[in-house]
Amino acid sequence: MDAHHPIFSVEDPGSLSLSDLQTDDELEDFPPNKRNVMVVRGSDLIVAVGSQLRITSLVDARASSSQSKAAYKILHTTNIDFDIEQLVLSPGGKLLAVVGLNQLAVVVLPRPAYAKLVTTKVDCKCHQVGQYYHATEGAPRIVKVDWHPWGEGGSSLLVMTADGAFREYNMAEDAEEPLQTLHFIPPRTHRKGYQADEALGEEVVSFCLGQGKADWGPLTVYALMTSGDVYAMSPFLPTKAVVPESYILALECFVTAKRDLYTSVGPSTMPSYIYELQFKYVNSLIKQLPLSPPPHPSNLAPSVAPPSRLVNVLSPSSIPAFTYTPARQGPFLFQPAPGELEDGGADASDIAYVELGEGGNEIRDALDTDDDPAETKEKLGVLLIVYGDGKVDVSLDTEKIEAQWEVTQSTEKLDTEELPAFTVYETIDLGILSVVGSSSPAIDSNRPMFHADPLYGDVIYIFHSFGIHSLAMRSWVDVLVRAMQRDRAEERSVGYKLEDVLAEPHPTEVRQLLSTYSANQKSSAPVIAMAIINSPFLSYTVYALTVAYQLIPLNLPLRLSPTTEEAPGLPYPKVSPTKPPPLKPQGPPQFGLGLTSTPNNPNQPPAYISLLTSVPFTVPNLNKYLSRTAIPRSQSNRFMTPDTLRFLGQQAESTQTKTGELENLVAQVSSRVDLQKRELDRQMATVKTVQELLQKLKNRGAEGGDLNRRVESVVKRQKELVERVGKVLQALMDSYSPTLSEFEVKWFKELNRMKDQVIGSGVGDSECLKGRVATVVHRHSILKNELTTLSDQHEEKTKAAASKPKLGTMQVKAIEGRLTTEQRLLSEAKSRVDDLRKALEQVSLG
């Protein structure tokens, strides 16, 4: 897609532009709200400009050869009169949540046939959501909006505000009143006095949903505070949900086992009524399951277990008999304490929860709902938290929380002193402070956001005011999951011990895809939206949108097969080092044609020789110097022992060695930078000389007419090169895939079947569409001729009848009287004949 597409044009002169945010001081004035004003629905791109929604087809935009043909449609809505901050697409792609600072609306998106409309505006239905709670003056700020994946019809909308109110709206029923409301920040009491926690101004900044298979993970909501604290509530299920049947059955087994264990072993840290409520909650779901087993699919073998079906259930919280409110759990403990960045301390910005497993992250299956009862792969829950200074905490959910409720009438109370915990795996530094500076006011306005990769489940992106980073956890998730499996199976093989894996952690692969900050000018174009295109008709691309509505496309290569050597994390293939070609003996390497040299005269020296060598400079890899060494925690580490001193000495020696290596690498990079600066000055001077020579050639060509001929020759040569490139590309495709794939064979069979239906399989095939059309045309011509003949005959009869003389009124009456008399005479004669016949029948012949 062209970066200058009209859909990104900002016609309002008062809109934000790149010049409005050039310096760090002006970046401080940028609204510190998370923004994402661009989403992708299949092959459609939707962009919000101010309070206006625009949509265009990426396929049509790619097919358009010029900008004049490229166009977009405006989604006309009557209820959106606020500046749009975020766009959130529903799972089915039919609804679009439009989020403002403290207002919310849902737009019903048009069907893909909208592109065929002639008008530039497409009327769409729009519903205001919760006007009583969000559209009033002084309403709390909306921090995040998301759609629940298990909502019936994809209509369950989740809204979190800064005051900790978590609401669920069902867009299929009522958009004004929430069906469920949870409070992650307890409401303030009206008692007199001053509370210390009120001075902190704690607010919720984001939330996410948990994951799991046979536990309370999918029914858990995690909320992130500005300080980085995490709270959770469980269970939460949409009022009208569509849940995999296998999950409900697995949850029943889990709850029953916990309840039986509590009954047999004895009291635990959790009150007994919690297990009773858990069993009551799950039993309410079990009663809603259908009695008949699901039919076995015909395309599966009888020995293969079919995937679990989805069942419609009502949340037990909506049943009048179950009136308990989920209890707030937390704040979570992070053990060991996550590392802090030097001169850091920014507020938390976003939270994400992903579930990863060994070998299960190659391709994210869009239909995977973790509902296969035969699935037994080990999976690990990972919680990520990103801060405004570029710090990312990666934690493992090793001990998932269970459902708890607030019961005021029970004599047993929850143990609030024992807090839930996450196991911190590592702390990642995106390098924002080293580039921008810790004293820059732009750090305070930076609000990074997570964006999951639609193709690879182990890759997650972070876009912020200074660019885009990508995190790939595949390098350590597979190793850790295998170690956990071996540890549970007591197969203590070498290289897979859990202690060894934790002692020598594998860092997450971090890569910066885009940087929009200039250290020299101290200016930046914040990224306000990010979308990933994953369509068979389009390439695998990341679209980044800056605050000046400048589109920056970034192509992402697909991963190779697992048997091919590749990078352990990101979807970029690992490039194996290759030997540079040997230098030619006749002189220094040539980087291209000189100003006066020609390819027909290789003995002539080049007009320009670069200061750089032909071997590209390899940037040193600093990841191994940034890794943290985890000290094994045990009871013996509480005291200073000779082993502890020996370990500290080894670490000090290793640190000194790495420091020396870093100094050498810094010297190499500095010398390379100086050399490239000198080369840049030489190239600028050479470019100026070339421009002067080009101007002379233009003037000379304008006088003699040689320039036009040369241009025509160049155009002709370019067309030939394009044709050759097409042939070479076709040859490469043939060599890469000489045979047709299974899907291509099916597609060609379908084309042949359609061809037979349309054209026919042979001569005289009258059942095909072409033969039927010919028959209809032939019959139509015959009927048309007959209709013409009948029309002519009718016209002739009409003319003949009109030409005959007409009788008068008196004449007609006289004729009618005579006809009546004749009819009466005929009736009398007929009656006489009947009487004579009867008389003859009665006469007997002697």
Side-chain angles (χ1 to χ4, degrees):
M1 184 178 184
D2 190 3
H4 302 285
H5 195 278
I7 196 174
F8 302 107
S9 60
V10 182
E11 301 175 356
D12 186 6
S15 301
L16 288 174
S17 62
L18 185 60
S19 60
D20 295 328
L21 301 169
Q22 286 185 345
T23 63
D24 288 346
D25 296 334
E26 292 170 342
L27 276 174
E28 185 180 11
D29 299 332
F30 186 67
N33 297 325
K34 290 179 288 187
R35 302 184 64 187
N36 190 12
V37 296
M38 180 175 62
V39 294
V40 174
R41 183 191 68 169
S43 60
D44 295 334
L45 181 68
I46 304 174
V47 181
V49 181
S51 60
Q52 186 183 88
L53 291 175
R54 303 176 180 179
I55 186 172
T56 187
S57 175
L58 295 174
V59 177
D60 296 342
R62 183 179 181 181
S64 300
S65 59
S66 62
Q67 296 184 14
S68 60
K69 296 182 180 179
Y72 63 89
K73 304 291 185 181
I74 298 175
L75 301 181
H76 178 64
T77 56
T78 57
N79 298 337
I80 299 179
D81 54 356
F82 53 86
D83 291 336
I84 300 174
E85 300 286 340
Q86 298 181 34
L87 298 177
V88 186
L89 190 66
S90 65
K94 298 180 180 179
L95 303 177
L96 178 68
V98 182
V99 187
L101 184 63
N102 56 357
Q103 299 185 49
L104 178 62
V106 173
V107 178
V108 181
L109 296 177
R111 295 183 178 181
Y114 73 91
K116 300 180 181 179
L117 299 177
V118 180
T119 59
T120 58
K121 292 185 178 181
V122 181
D123 293 331
C124 298
K125 294 182 180 179
C126 182
H127 305 281
Q128 287 287 121
V129 179
Q131 299 186 55
Y132 178 78
Y133 304 96
H134 308 297
T136 59
E137 184 178 357
R141 177 170 49 91
I142 299 176
V143 295
K144 186 175 180 180
V145 173
D146 201 359
W147 299 88
H148 201 288
W150 284 355
E152 185 180 24
S155 59
S156 179
L157 184 64
L158 309 179
V159 182
M160 176 71 80
T161 53
D163 60 348
F166 180 77
R167 298 180 175 91
E168 181 215 358
Y169 296 91
N170 192 331
M171 301 309 302
E173 293 184 357
D174 187 7
E176 292 295 337
E177 288 296 328
L179 299 181
Q180 298 186 67
T181 302
L182 303 178
H183 294 280
F184 283 90
I185 298 180
R188 296 181 179 180
T189 60
H190 297 284
R191 64 185 179 183
K192 297 182 180 179
Y194 179 78
Q195 298 180 4
D197 56 351
E198 293 181 1
L200 298 176
E202 192 77 339
E203 291 185 349
V204 177
V205 294
S206 183
F207 77 92
C208 68
L209 301 176
Q211 298 181 21
K213 281 190 174 181
D215 48 39
W216 297 96
L219 306 182
T220 304
V221 181
Y222 297 94
L224 177 66
M225 305 295 176
T226 53
S227 61
D229 291 338
V230 177
Y231 292 88
M233 280 192 179
S234 179
F236 172 80
L237 186 67
T239 305
K240 291 185 177 181
V242 180
V243 185
E245 184 181 15
S246 62
Y247 170 73
I248 299 178
L249 298 177
L251 183 61
E252 181 195 19
C253 296
F254 174 76
V255 172
T256 304
K258 294 281 290 186
R259 184 188 181 189
D260 296 342
L261 181 64
Y262 172 80
T263 305
S264 59
V265 176
S268 63
T269 58
M270 192 176 297
S272 59
Y273 71 88
I274 292 295
Y275 294 105
E276 297 298 333
L277 291 179
Q278 289 181 1
F279 184 79
K280 184 177 180 181
Y281 187 94
V282 175
N283 192 32
S284 176
L285 296 176
I286 292 294
K287 291 180 179 179
Q288 302 181 53
L289 296 180
L291 300 178
S292 59
H296 196 284
S298 58
N299 57 349
L300 294 179
S303 59
V304 179
S308 177
R309 58 178 171 179
L310 302 176
V311 294
N312 296 329
V313 296
L314 293 176
S315 174
S317 301
S318 62
I319 300 175
F322 199 93
T323 59
Y324 304 100
T325 303
R328 188 184 73 156
Q329 306 181 44
F332 281 75
L333 299 178
F334 292 87
Q335 299 174 347
E340 296 292 339
L341 302 183
E342 186 177 358
D343 298 331
D347 294 338
S349 179
D350 200 6
I351 184 173
Y353 191 103
V354 295
E355 191 177 39
L356 306 176
E358 178 191 2
N361 309 318
E362 282 299 325
I363 297 294
R364 183 195 297 270
D365 189 3
L367 300 178
D368 184 16
T369 57
D370 296 336
D371 52 7
D372 190 357
E375 185 71 28
T376 58
K377 291 184 178 179
E378 185 79 22
K379 288 198 174 184
L380 185 64
V382 181
L383 187 81
L384 299 100
I385 301 176
V386 62
Y387 295 78
D389 55 3
K391 171 188 170 184
V392 182
D393 291 336
V394 181
S395 305
L396 306 179
D397 192 7
T398 55
E399 297 182 3
K400 293 187 177 182
I401 64 172
E402 297 185 19
Q404 295 184 11
W405 291 267
E406 296 178 355
V407 181
T408 57
Q409 299 178 357
S410 177
T411 57
E412 300 180 80
K413 300 296 181 183
L414 288 173
D415 187 5
T416 57
E417 295 181 358
E418 185 176 354
L419 299 176
F422 286 114
T423 303
V424 178
Y425 181 79
E426 65 175 338
T427 298
I428 301 173
D429 182 13
L430 299 181
I432 294 178
L433 292 179
S434 60
V435 176
V436 181
S438 59
S439 60
S440 174
I443 298 296
D444 298 333
S445 62
N446 184 31
R447 294 293 181 268
M449 290 183 64
F450 287 112
H451 194 288
D453 191 285
L455 197 58
Y456 302 100
D458 57 340
V459 178
I460 193 168
Y461 299 90
I462 303 175
F463 66 96
H464 44 81
S465 299
F466 312 103
I468 300 177
H469 285 77
S470 60
L471 309 179
M473 297 166 282
R474 183 186 177 193
S475 58
W476 57 268
V477 168
D478 290 349
V479 178
L480 189 59
V481 170
R482 284 197 295 266
M484 293 174 60
Q485 292 176 344
R486 297 291 181 92
D487 186 72
R488 292 184 179 181
E490 297 182 355
E491 298 178 5
R492 315 290 288 182
S493 58
V494 180
Y496 286 98
K497 294 182 179 180
L498 187 58
E499 296 84 353
D500 299 338
V501 174
L502 295 177
E504 187 180 356
H506 299 72
T508 300
E509 297 290 336
V510 183
R511 180 169 297 186
Q512 186 174 11
L513 302 182
L514 175 65
S515 176
T516 60
Y517 183 80
S518 175
N520 297 330
Q521 301 178 359
K522 292 185 177 181
S523 62
S524 177
V527 179
I528 62 173
M530 173 184 172
I532 300 179
I533 311 299
N534 180 27
S535 174
F537 303 101
L538 303 168
S539 59
Y540 181 42
T541 311
V542 170
Y543 281 172
L545 187 65
T546 64
V547 70
Y549 281 84
Q550 177 186 3
L551 183 67
I552 303 176
L554 304 171
N555 292 327
L556 298 177
L558 297 173
R559 284 178 182 170
L560 303 178
S561 60
T563 57
T564 309
E565 183 181 5
E566 57 183 2
L570 291 170
Y572 299 88
K574 183 178 180 181
V575 181
S576 58
T578 57
K579 274 190 174 183
L583 299 180
K584 295 182 180 180
Q586 56 263 33
Q590 297 186 10
F591 294 87
L593 298 178
L595 298 180
T596 56
S597 63
T598 58
N600 297 329
N601 189 9
N603 296 325
Q604 185 178 357
Y608 181 81
I609 300 176
S610 174
L611 297 176
L612 307 178
T613 61
S614 60
V615 181
F617 178 75
T618 304
V619 180
N621 185 13
L622 303 180
N623 291 333
K624 62 179 181 178
Y625 301 102
L626 300 178
S627 62
R628 295 179 178 269
T629 303
I631 301 177
R633 293 182 174 270
S634 62
Q635 295 295 333
S636 60
N637 290 341
R638 298 175 59 185
F639 306 98
M640 189 64 65
T641 61
D643 294 337
T644 306
L645 296 177
R646 191 179 301 108
F647 176 78
L648 294 177
Q650 293 175 357
Q651 294 301 319
E653 182 181 358
S654 175
T655 302
Q656 292 178 358
T657 303
K658 291 181 179 180
T659 302
E661 294 177 358
L662 280 174
E663 291 177 353
N664 295 333
L665 294 177
V666 169
Q668 295 178 10
V669 173
S670 300
S671 61
R672 177 69 180 188
V673 170
D674 295 338
L675 182 63
Q676 290 188 184
K677 286 182 178 179
R678 286 188 293 164
E679 176 62 23
L680 179 62
D681 296 338
R682 294 180 68 247
Q683 290 183 3
M684 294 296 293
T686 305
V687 167
K688 184 178 180 181
T689 304
V690 171
Q691 289 179 348
E692 294 176 355
L693 180 60
L694 181 61
Q695 188 63 32
K696 292 180 181 179
L697 292 176
K698 286 183 178 180
N699 297 335
R700 187 185 306 171
E703 296 176 358
D706 297 336
L707 183 62
N708 294 333
R709 289 193 295 270
R710 294 177 61 186
V711 169
E712 293 177 357
S713 176
V714 170
V715 171
K716 182 179 179 181
R717 180 62 176 170
Q718 179 66 22
K719 292 182 179 179
E720 295 176 355
L721 291 176
V722 170
E723 293 179 357
R724 292 179 60 187
V725 167
K727 294 179 180 178
V728 171
L729 181 60
Q730 184 63 39
L732 290 175
M733 293 177 63
D734 295 339
S735 62
Y736 178 75
S737 179
T739 60
L740 297 178
S741 64
E742 179 183 356
F743 298 100
E744 290 175 339
V745 171
K746 291 182 178 179
W747 175 245
F748 284 124
K749 288 183 178 179
E750 180 67 17
L751 288 179
N752 292 330
R753 187 184 66 81
M754 296 172 63
K755 180 180 178 182
D756 295 340
Q757 290 182 353
V758 176
I759 301 178
S761 57
V763 181
D765 188 359
S766 60
E767 297 297 330
C768 64
L769 184 59
K770 183 178 179 181
R772 293 168 64 185
V773 170
T775 303
V776 170
V777 172
H778 177 66
R779 293 178 179 177
H780 178 266
S781 61
I782 295 175
L783 293 176
K784 186 177 180 181
N785 295 333
E786 294 179 356
L787 180 62
T788 304
T789 304
L790 292 175
S791 178
D792 295 341
Q793 293 177 358
H794 178 70
E795 187 176 358
E796 292 178 357
K797 291 181 179 180
T798 304
K799 292 180 179 180
S803 60
K804 292 181 180 180
K806 295 184 179 180
L807 298 176
T809 305
M810 300 301 295
Q811 294 177 344
V812 171
K813 288 183 178 181
I815 294 175
E816 290 178 354
R818 291 181 181 179
L819 290 175
T820 303
T821 305
E822 294 295 334
Q823 184 179 2
R824 181 173 53 80
L825 295 176
L826 288 174
S827 300
E828 293 177 355
K830 183 179 179 182
S831 60
R832 291 178 182 178
V833 170
D834 292 338
D835 296 339
L836 182 60
R837 181 175 56 79
K838 293 178 180 180
L840 290 175
E841 290 177 356
Q842 295 177 358
V843 176
S844 60
L845 300 178

